[in-house]
Amino acid sequence: MCHFKKILPLVLVLFIATGCAGMERQKIEVGKRSDMGIFEDFKEITKLKKVSAVKDILHNAEWEKIKVDMAREADYQFIFQFVNPDTQAKAIPYSVWIGPDKDTIEIIEGGYQYVHLNKEDSSMLFEAITETKLVNREI
C-alpha cells in the first residue's frame, strides 16, 4: 500500500501532462483589406475563449456548398493557425463581408462554402475577430 501512495501522484502528473500535450492550441490570424485593396495584418486572436466562440459559430452555421461571386472584395480574412509551429495542417481562409446595413456578415470558407450569419452570430463573430462592435464599423 505504501508504494501505491508514492506512485499515484507520479501517475496523475504524467496523465495530466500527456493529456495537455495532446490538445493543440490554435490562434486566429485576421487580415483587413486596406484602401489599396490588399489584406494587411490586423489582429492575432490567441484567447482560447474567443477562438472557441468563433469555431462554435462556424461549426453551427448552415453552410451552403456553392461558389459565390461577390460584388466586391472581402472586408476581412482570417485563418486558424496552430500555436505550435511544428503542427502541420492546411490553413483554410475565411473571407468576411459586412452587409449593407452593418448588422450581419457573410462568410466564404475556402472558396466553395458560403453562409450569411444571423445578426446575433454576426455580432459575436465580428467582435471576436476584430475586437470592435459590428455597428461601429466605418465604411
Side-chain angles (χ1 to χ4, degrees), residues 12-29:
L12 287 174
V13 168
L14 288 174
F15 178 74
I16 292 170
T18 57
C20 292
M23 295 188 322
E24 292 290 341
R25 295 217 25 195
Q26 288 184 314
K27 63 183 176 181
I28 302 172
E29 293 180 356

Side-chain angles (χ1 to χ4, degrees), residues 30-34 37-40 42 70 72-78 94-100 102 104-106 126 129-130 134 137-139:
V30 183
K32 182 177 180 180
R33 185 171 44 89
S34 71
I38 59 171
F39 286 96
E40 298 176 345
F42 178 66
M70 303 298 273
R72 60 183 170 82
E73 292 291 320
D75 299 301
Y76 295 87
Q77 280 188 336
F78 66 90
Y94 292 85
S95 300
V96 179
W97 285 262
I98 298 171
K102 300 183 196 176
T104 61
I105 59 175
E106 297 173 82
F126 189 81
I129 66 169
T130 67
L134 183 58
R137 187 200 179 280
E138 296 178 21
I139 292 185

Side-chain angles (χ1 to χ4, degrees), residues 34-47:
S34 71
D35 294 337
M36 302 296 289
I38 59 171
F39 286 96
E40 298 176 345
D41 291 343
F42 178 66
K43 296 273 183 194
E44 184 175 275
I45 310 302
T46 58
K47 292 184 180 178

